[in-house]
Each structure stands twice: as structure tokens, then as C-alpha cells.
């Protein structure tokens, strides 16, 4: 369990940044969580941390969903695992049901350690469903309340651009680049999308916003 907590803590440190985790950071996280699974393969918390790292660091949405499902075998009510399954389903095309189940998970445990990530994914789910106004409302509130999670500024800027508010989007990107030197479209910590067209559209929105 200690190794899983180490992996999760290391992941959380990277999750606040606007730029990608380094190869060394990813390797350290992966080593810790894989060792934890080898020691205790049935532990639902460990499986959930593995699912989160697969999703966020490797972008392997299918494998992340499998790990989250394994976690739910150990604890069917574990909110982070339920949320990860919902997120993976959103990205795999089951958008409406995934959004509904993700909202239920957020409501069930609003103080969860992954709540900020869950709410970011909820905003993206609404955007994928064509509800840009709702996506922007969630992303805007998330950024106003938790501006220390720098990567969320990129989500807000993209959604502002999607809504047609390019002036505000460009101001957000300008400030993000000021706070994170070296921030470019290539170095940015972008959301994960199973659909290549959705990722391309998101990148285009960030380009329009000045990234």
C-alpha cells in the first residue's frame, strides 16, 4: 500500500502542472505502482492508482478501464474506480451514459482526492456531447476555485475558444505561458481523447487561443 500511495502522490505532483510529466517522473510512478501490484494484486486501491496512471500518463484508455473494473471487483462502491470507468466510457463513445455516471460519482464523493480531475473530465464530456456552455461553466468554476492546477487553464482556454470568446481565451493562454515558461502545444499537458478527431479539434482550439 505504501508503494501505491507513493505512486499516487508522485502522480498528483505532476497532475497540477501545465506541461507533460518527464520520462523520469513517469518511470518512477510506473515502477512504484507495478511493484505495489506485484505485492498485493487484489488490492482495489492499488488497481485504481494503476488505472489512473494508465489513463493519464500512458493514454491507454482501454487498459485503464480494465484496471478500474478489477478494482471494482474488490470494492464495488469505490468512487475513484467508478469515476474512471465512466471517464473511459465517455472517451470510448458512450458519452451520455458516461457523463451521467461520472456526475453521480462526483456527487457521491465531492471531497475525493481526484475530484478536480473528475470535474475536468466532466467538462470535457459535456463538450464532446456538444454542450459547450455547460462545459465552459464547469471548467470556469473549476479554474476560479483551484487556479493552482495549472493544466486546467488550458481546458478553460480551449472551451472559451469553442464558445467564440477568443479574446478571453487568448488572455488565459498568455497568462498560462507567463506562469509556465516553455509552455507550447507540444509540451502542454493535454486531456486524453480516444477519438483522434476530438484531440485534433481540441488542439485547433488551443492554437486559435494562441498556444
Amino acid at each position: 500500500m505504501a508503494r501505491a500511495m507513493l505512486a499516487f502522490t508522485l502522480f498528483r505532483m505532476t497532475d497540477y502542472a501545465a506541461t507533460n510529466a518527464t520520462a523520469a517522473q513517469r518511470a518512477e510512478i510506473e515502477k512504484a505502482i507495478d511493484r505495489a501490484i506485484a505485492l498485493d494484486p487484489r488490492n482495489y486501491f492499488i488497481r485504481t492508482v494503476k488505472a489512473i496512471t494508465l489513463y493519464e500518463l500512458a493514454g491507454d484508455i482501454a487498459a485503464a478501464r480494465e484496471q478500474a473494473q478489477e478494482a471494482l471487483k474488490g470494492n464495488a462502491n469505490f468512487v475513484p474506480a467508478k469515476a474512471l470507468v465512466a471517464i473511459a466510457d465517455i472517451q470510448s463513445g458512450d458519452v451520455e451514459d458516461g457523463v451521467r455516471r461520472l456526475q453521480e460519482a462526483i456527487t457521491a464523493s465531492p471531497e475525493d482526492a481526484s475530484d478536480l480531475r473528475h470535474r475536468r473530465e466532466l467538462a470535457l464530456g459535456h463538450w464532446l456531447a456538444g454542450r459547450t456552455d455547460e462545459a465552459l461553466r464547469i471548467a470556469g468554476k473549476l479554474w476560479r476555485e483551484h487556479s493552482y492546477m495549472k493544466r486546467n487553464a488550458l481546458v478553460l482556454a480551449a472551451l472559451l475558444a469553442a464558445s467564440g470568446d477568443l479574446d478571453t481565451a487568448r488572455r488565459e493562454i498568455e497568462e498560462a505561458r507567463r506562469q509556465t515558461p516553455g509552455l507550447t502545444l507540444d509540451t502542454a499537458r493535454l486531456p486524453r481523447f480516444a477519438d483522434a478527431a476530438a484531440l485534433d479539434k481540441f488542439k485547433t482550439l488551443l492554437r486559435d487561443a494562441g498556444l
Side-chain angles (χ1 to χ4, degrees):
M1 180 67 81
R3 292 181 185 274
M5 286 301 299
L6 172 62
F8 186 65
T9 300
L10 292 171
F11 164 75
R12 286 286 298 276
M13 291 171 64
T14 71
D15 199 37
Y16 290 99
T19 51
N20 289 315
T22 67
Q25 287 173 322
R26 291 196 302 271
E28 186 177 10
I29 293 166
E30 290 164 2
K31 180 180 178 180
I33 192 58
D34 286 346
R35 181 58 177 156
I37 286 179
L39 292 170
D40 191 359
R42 296 184 179 181
N43 185 292
Y44 64 86
F45 175 77
I46 294 173
R47 288 287 180 179
T48 302
V49 174
K50 178 64 175 179
I52 292 169
T53 57
L54 279 169
Y55 182 88
E56 284 285 353
L57 299 181
D60 193 336
I61 295 171
R65 191 184 192 283
E66 289 177 4
Q67 290 292 330
Q69 290 281 33
E70 285 297 315
L72 291 173
K73 292 178 182 178
N75 183 346
N77 294 314
F78 192 48
V79 166
K82 292 173 72 173
L84 198 286
V85 171
I87 291 165
D89 286 348
I90 290 169
Q91 293 301 335
S92 299
D94 190 5
V95 178
E96 294 296 352
D97 190 53
V99 165
R100 177 185 61 78
R101 287 183 286 112
L102 179 55
Q103 182 62 70
E104 289 174 354
I106 292 170
T107 301
S109 186
E111 301 303 320
D112 187 85
S114 293
D115 178 64
L116 304 188
R117 180 169 48 84
H118 295 164
R119 286 198 274 159
R120 178 176 62 246
E121 294 289 343
L122 181 63
L124 293 168
H126 281 294
W127 175 64
L128 290 171
R131 294 185 289 270
T132 301
D133 287 349
E134 179 63 8
L136 187 56
R137 183 192 69 79
I138 295 169
K141 185 173 187 291
L142 187 60
W143 179 238
R144 288 192 300 274
E145 294 178 350
H146 306 281
S147 59
Y148 48 84
M149 184 170 266
K150 304 302 183 186
R151 64 181 297 196
N152 287 346
L154 304 178
V155 174
L156 177 59
L159 294 174
L160 284 164
S163 74
D165 189 354
L166 282 177
D167 288 342
T168 307
R170 286 166 180 159
R171 286 196 294 271
E172 291 291 349
I173 290 297
E174 183 179 353
E175 178 62 16
R177 296 179 75 171
R178 187 189 67 80
Q179 293 189 22
T180 305
L183 178 64
T184 67
L185 196 58
D186 290 332
T187 64
R189 182 76 175 269
L190 301 181
R192 295 297 186 177
F193 294 101
D195 182 8
L199 176 58
D200 287 345
K201 185 176 180 180
F202 192 85
K203 287 181 175 180
T204 296
L205 291 170
L206 286 176
R207 289 190 191 97
D208 292 345
L211 189 61

